[in-house]
Amino acid sequence: NAGVTQTPKFQVLKTGQSMTLQCAQDMNHNSMYWYRQDPGMGLRLIYYSASEGTTDKGEVPNGYNVSRLNKREFSLRLESAAPSQTSVYFCASRGRSPQETQYFGPGTRLLVL
Amino acid sequence: QKEVEQDPGPLSVPEGAIVSLNCTYSNSAFQYFMWYRQYSRKGPELLMYTYSSGNKEDGRFTAQVDKSSKYISLFIRDSQPSDSATYLCAMESGGSYIPTFGRGTSLIVHP
């Protein structure tokens, strides 16, 4: 099993450009999450999807959109990138019971110039 | 005040030392407590998981939860240079499926 995979690993964008970060999991998990991690700020939740067909805002959703394409895939879109969105982005997934904790992907490093 | 407080460090210790990492929290509804380890340029990985109060041991690692004090700890015995990483605490109330993370503590174990 690959677990949680993310593409791309690294991306450089210019201000105003758009891009989509891809995430897929092969653990048949119901819930999927997008976080950003900045120095000194810890992990901050951008959006999450409790199940296929549902999405909800997290702590820092402004400037982002998400799509839960199917049970396996959860994408994060930046429509008009800003330097403040320079960060490391992590996708995570988890199963249905409370005892099943999150599994994280390897991250996407995004630099917006 | 953040819901979960964690000293960012860095914490630097010699190899073989006992390490104590801590988090405090304010939400009394938290029931599930986790510790994640994150190596540089990698994603977090679950290290320890505890439900409610008490201790849990796994090899060199011990997690403690004191709900009366709203305080959780992770102890690492016989620390190794390979333990050098950032340690994130996380906690969750029953049924929420949305953990609240601490900011992480950077640990450096030098030979």
Side-chain angles (χ1 to χ4, degrees):
Chain A
N1 287 353
V4 180
T5 57
Q6 292 183 237
T7 55
K9 286 185 169 53
F10 180 70
Q11 184 73 46
V12 179
L13 289 179
K14 294 181 180 177
T15 298
Q17 287 185 318
S18 63
M19 79 162 294
T20 300
L21 283 65
Q22 307 285 355
C23 174
Q25 52 91 9
D26 62 0
M27 295 172 282
N28 199 35
H29 285 165
N30 291 309
S31 302
M32 297 187 73
Y33 309 76
W34 275 106
Y35 292 91
R36 61 178 290 174
Q37 188 175 41
D38 304 290
M41 300 295 290
L43 285 165
R44 291 186 292 171
L45 182 65
I46 305 171
Y47 271 93
Y48 68 99
S49 171
S51 61
E52 187 178 352
T54 69
T55 60
D56 286 286
K57 294 178 180 179
E59 182 185 352
V60 288
N62 290 348
Y64 305 95
N65 285 301
V66 290
S67 295
R68 184 73 183 266
L69 304 169
N70 47 56
K71 193 171 186 179
R72 290 188 64 247
E73 298 171 290
F74 189 38
S75 63
L76 177 72
R77 183 159 178 85
L78 287 70
E79 291 291 352
S80 180
S84 61
Q85 294 178 305
T86 293
S87 187
V88 182
Y89 292 86
F90 289 101
C91 177
S93 70
R94 73 184 288 177
R96 187 182 294 276
S97 71
Q99 289 77 14
E100 294 189 71
T101 56
Q102 291 176 318
Y103 290 82
F104 285 84
T108 293
R109 295 183 169 273
L110 177 66
L111 175 62
V112 183
L113 301 174
Chain B
Q1 183 190 6
K2 283 179 66 71
E3 268 192 306
V4 178
E5 298 282 356
Q6 185 176 12
D7 187 332
L11 178 62
S12 181
V13 301
E15 183 176 354
I18 297 174
V19 175
S20 172
L21 304 168
N22 311 295
C23 290
T24 59
Y25 63 95
S26 57
N27 188 344
S28 58
F30 288 146
Q31 294 181 284
Y32 301 93
F33 303 90
M34 291 76 73
W35 286 96
Y36 286 84
R37 179 175 61 196
Q38 184 176 22
Y39 290 115
S40 180
R41 297 184 170 265
K42 301 288 187 184
E45 56 178 348
L46 181 70
L47 193 58
M48 297 287 282
Y49 168 85
T50 311
Y51 170 67
S52 194
S53 284
N55 293 2
K56 185 173 184 179
E57 188 172 322
D58 184 1
R60 296 184 295 110
F61 299 90
T62 300
Q64 284 187 352
V65 174
D66 182 348
K67 291 187 73 178
S68 62
S69 301
K70 297 189 178 68
Y71 188 89
I72 71 170
S73 301
L74 177 71
F75 297 96
I76 307 174
R77 290 184 299 281
D78 188 25
S79 56
Q80 303 295 310
S82 58
D83 295 326
S84 298
T86 296
Y87 290 80
L88 298 140
C89 65
M91 40 202 83
E92 188 177 308
S93 55
S96 81
Y97 290 87
I98 307 291
T100 300
F101 284 86
R103 297 185 178 191
T105 298
S106 175
L107 172 66
I108 301 166
V109 182
H110 52 86

